[in-house]
Amino acid sequence: MNISKRHHYIPQFLIKRFADKDGMLFLYDKEKKAFAKERRSSKSVFFEMNRNTVDTGGAPHDNMERLYAELDAKFSGTIKDIVENHNMSEENIASMLVLASSLKWRLPI
């Protein structure tokens, strides 16, 4: 079984919405108050290695990360439906509330 390593605390589907046509983005460093000199891909930002990997009895598991991936697929579809179809159904609103709630547990702070 392959265990994922890059665990994004901001879902990649959200990061990609800010990327340019090449799928790249510039980052702003708040401490340096400057933009990074080079663009970066969405997979190379806002992650920690093995953040959601749990070792149980000597065997690593990424079950939490797999759950996030399943939820992200749902949330991504919801955002697409809202943006493209202007569909603010009760189901889509509820999905966005669950997304916002889940981000609380994913952020490092």
Side-chain angles (χ1 to χ4, degrees), residues 36-87:
K37 293 179 181 177
E38 295 182 9
R39 299 180 306 158
R40 309 241 333 248
S41 72
S42 62
K43 79 176 200 176
S44 70
V45 296
F46 305 119
F47 75 93
E48 289 181 19
M49 297 300 280
N50 298 308
R51 177 175 174 75
N52 298 312
T53 300
V54 177
D55 191 322
T56 56
H61 296 280
D62 65 349
N63 295 341
M64 183 59 74
E65 189 64 20
R66 290 175 189 265
L67 173 61
Y68 285 144
E70 287 181 32
L71 289 172
D72 289 351
K74 165 100 172 93
F75 298 143
S76 176
T78 299
I79 288 180
K80 183 177 180 181
D81 188 31
I82 291 170
V83 171
E84 292 180 3
N85 302 318
H86 307 284
N87 182 5

Side-chain angles (χ1 to χ4, degrees), residues 28-41:
Y28 182 76
D29 187 326
K30 286 175 56 175
E31 291 176 358
K32 294 179 182 177
K33 297 182 179 180
F35 283 94
K37 293 179 181 177
E38 295 182 9
R39 299 180 306 158
R40 309 241 333 248
S41 72

Side-chain angles (χ1 to χ4, degrees), residues 7-25:
H7 298 171
H8 288 81
Y9 44 88
I10 298 178
Q12 281 187 279
F13 78 89
L14 286 178
I15 299 168
K16 288 176 182 177
R17 294 194 71 84
F18 293 90
D20 64 16
K21 63 179 173 44
D22 298 323
M24 304 294 281
L25 44 102

